[in-house]
mmCIF file of all heavy atoms in Angstrom:
data_model
loop_
_atom_site.group_PDB
_atom_site.id
_atom_site.type_symbol
_atom_site.label_atom_id
_atom_site.label_comp_id
_atom_site.label_asym_id
_atom_site.label_seq_id
_atom_site.Cartn_x
_atom_site.Cartn_y
_atom_site.Cartn_z
ATOM 1 N N LEU D 57 -40.806 -83.877 67.855
ATOM 2 C CA LEU D 57 -40.885 -83.654 69.294
ATOM 3 C C LEU D 57 -39.910 -84.564 69.998
ATOM 4 O O LEU D 57 -39.257 -84.148 70.957
ATOM 5 C CB LEU D 57 -42.337 -83.979 69.716
ATOM 6 C CG LEU D 57 -42.556 -83.880 71.265
ATOM 7 C CD1 LEU D 57 -42.287 -82.522 71.820
ATOM 8 C CD2 LEU D 57 -44.010 -84.319 71.587
ATOM 9 N N ALA D 58 -39.807 -85.842 69.562
ATOM 10 C CA ALA D 58 -38.870 -86.805 70.198
ATOM 11 C C ALA D 58 -37.424 -86.296 70.063
ATOM 12 O O ALA D 58 -36.617 -86.368 70.993
ATOM 13 C CB ALA D 58 -39.064 -88.146 69.608
ATOM 14 N N LEU D 59 -37.107 -85.816 68.844
ATOM 15 C CA LEU D 59 -35.761 -85.325 68.626
ATOM 16 C C LEU D 59 -35.422 -84.115 69.545
ATOM 17 O O LEU D 59 -34.344 -83.992 70.134
ATOM 18 C CB LEU D 59 -35.538 -84.964 67.167
ATOM 19 C CG LEU D 59 -35.425 -86.111 66.198
ATOM 20 C CD1 LEU D 59 -35.448 -85.612 64.747
ATOM 21 C CD2 LEU D 59 -34.197 -86.929 66.460
ATOM 22 N N ILE D 60 -36.383 -83.205 69.637
ATOM 23 C CA ILE D 60 -36.164 -81.960 70.454
ATOM 24 C C ILE D 60 -36.010 -82.345 71.940
ATOM 25 O O ILE D 60 -35.133 -81.830 72.625
ATOM 26 C CB ILE D 60 -37.263 -80.944 70.177
ATOM 27 C CG1 ILE D 60 -37.200 -80.375 68.745
ATOM 28 C CG2 ILE D 60 -37.188 -79.818 71.194
ATOM 29 C CD1 ILE D 60 -38.175 -79.417 68.433
ATOM 30 N N ILE D 61 -36.883 -83.258 72.393
ATOM 31 C CA ILE D 61 -36.746 -83.671 73.829
ATOM 32 C C ILE D 61 -35.404 -84.375 74.013
ATOM 33 O O ILE D 61 -34.708 -84.147 75.042
ATOM 34 C CB ILE D 61 -37.907 -84.631 74.093
ATOM 35 C CG1 ILE D 61 -39.208 -83.857 74.191
ATOM 36 C CG2 ILE D 61 -37.656 -85.329 75.450
ATOM 37 C CD1 ILE D 61 -40.432 -84.769 74.495
ATOM 38 N N GLY D 62 -34.971 -85.173 73.047
ATOM 39 C CA GLY D 62 -33.675 -85.868 73.176
ATOM 40 C C GLY D 62 -32.524 -84.881 73.227
ATOM 41 O O GLY D 62 -31.561 -84.994 74.047
ATOM 42 N N PHE D 63 -32.552 -83.875 72.310
ATOM 43 C CA PHE D 63 -31.461 -82.897 72.331
ATOM 44 C C PHE D 63 -31.477 -82.042 73.604
ATOM 45 O O PHE D 63 -30.389 -81.731 74.168
ATOM 46 C CB PHE D 63 -31.612 -81.955 71.097
ATOM 47 C CG PHE D 63 -31.201 -82.628 69.825
ATOM 48 C CD1 PHE D 63 -31.966 -82.413 68.653
ATOM 49 C CD2 PHE D 63 -30.072 -83.380 69.686
ATOM 50 C CE1 PHE D 63 -31.586 -83.019 67.474
ATOM 51 C CE2 PHE D 63 -29.719 -83.986 68.531
ATOM 52 C CZ PHE D 63 -30.457 -83.844 67.409
ATOM 53 N N THR D 64 -32.670 -81.662 74.036
ATOM 54 C CA THR D 64 -32.789 -80.829 75.282
ATOM 55 C C THR D 64 -32.284 -81.693 76.496
ATOM 56 O O THR D 64 -31.606 -81.135 77.383
ATOM 57 C CB THR D 64 -34.176 -80.446 75.492
ATOM 58 O OG1 THR D 64 -34.698 -79.774 74.288
ATOM 59 C CG2 THR D 64 -34.282 -79.434 76.679
ATOM 60 N N PHE D 65 -32.615 -82.954 76.508
ATOM 61 C CA PHE D 65 -32.158 -83.833 77.560
ATOM 62 C C PHE D 65 -30.626 -83.885 77.560
ATOM 63 O O PHE D 65 -29.958 -83.836 78.631
ATOM 64 C CB PHE D 65 -32.709 -85.244 77.431
ATOM 65 C CG PHE D 65 -32.286 -86.185 78.486
ATOM 66 C CD1 PHE D 65 -32.874 -86.193 79.757
ATOM 67 C CD2 PHE D 65 -31.290 -87.063 78.252
ATOM 68 C CE1 PHE D 65 -32.445 -87.068 80.747
ATOM 69 C CE2 PHE D 65 -30.858 -87.975 79.200
ATOM 70 C CZ PHE D 65 -31.418 -87.983 80.493
ATOM 71 N N SER D 66 -30.055 -83.985 76.359
ATOM 72 C CA SER D 66 -28.615 -84.050 76.232
ATOM 73 C C SER D 66 -27.963 -82.705 76.729
ATOM 74 O O SER D 66 -26.931 -82.718 77.430
ATOM 75 C CB SER D 66 -28.141 -84.264 74.802
ATOM 76 O OG SER D 66 -26.810 -84.250 74.629
ATOM 77 N N MET D 67 -28.599 -81.615 76.447
ATOM 78 C CA MET D 67 -28.098 -80.285 76.916
ATOM 79 C C MET D 67 -28.130 -80.261 78.453
ATOM 80 O O MET D 67 -27.200 -79.780 79.080
ATOM 81 C CB MET D 67 -28.978 -79.123 76.346
ATOM 82 C CG MET D 67 -28.816 -78.923 74.865
ATOM 83 S SD MET D 67 -30.079 -77.803 74.272
ATOM 84 C CE MET D 67 -29.706 -76.338 75.227
ATOM 85 N N ALA D 68 -29.183 -80.756 79.044
ATOM 86 C CA ALA D 68 -29.345 -80.759 80.547
ATOM 87 C C ALA D 68 -28.292 -81.664 81.184
ATOM 88 O O ALA D 68 -27.593 -81.231 82.160
ATOM 89 C CB ALA D 68 -30.731 -81.190 80.921
ATOM 90 N N VAL D 69 -28.022 -82.825 80.631
ATOM 91 C CA VAL D 69 -27.009 -83.720 81.109
ATOM 92 C C VAL D 69 -25.618 -83.096 81.032
ATOM 93 O O VAL D 69 -24.825 -83.204 81.898
ATOM 94 C CB VAL D 69 -27.122 -85.063 80.408
ATOM 95 C CG1 VAL D 69 -25.910 -85.979 80.807
ATOM 96 C CG2 VAL D 69 -28.395 -85.787 80.796
ATOM 97 N N THR D 70 -25.377 -82.468 79.858
ATOM 98 C CA THR D 70 -24.079 -81.792 79.734
ATOM 99 C C THR D 70 -23.794 -80.770 80.760
ATOM 100 O O THR D 70 -22.706 -80.659 81.315
ATOM 101 C CB THR D 70 -23.931 -81.195 78.309
ATOM 102 O OG1 THR D 70 -24.111 -82.257 77.299
ATOM 103 C CG2 THR D 70 -22.612 -80.523 78.080
ATOM 104 N N ARG D 71 -24.828 -79.915 81.053
ATOM 105 C CA ARG D 71 -24.688 -78.931 82.062
ATOM 106 C C ARG D 71 -24.545 -79.515 83.439
ATOM 107 O O ARG D 71 -23.748 -78.966 84.313
ATOM 108 C CB ARG D 71 -25.892 -77.993 82.004
ATOM 109 C CG ARG D 71 -25.848 -77.004 80.785
ATOM 110 C CD ARG D 71 -27.194 -76.476 80.434
ATOM 111 N NE ARG D 71 -27.137 -75.409 79.478
ATOM 112 C CZ ARG D 71 -26.909 -75.577 78.206
ATOM 113 N NH1 ARG D 71 -26.709 -76.778 77.694
ATOM 114 N NH2 ARG D 71 -26.820 -74.522 77.351
#
Side-chain angles (χ1 to χ4, degrees):
L57 176 62
L59 286 172
I60 290 179
I61 290 177
F63 286 137
T64 308
F65 180 80
S66 178
M67 291 170 61
V69 170
T70 300
R71 285 159 170 76

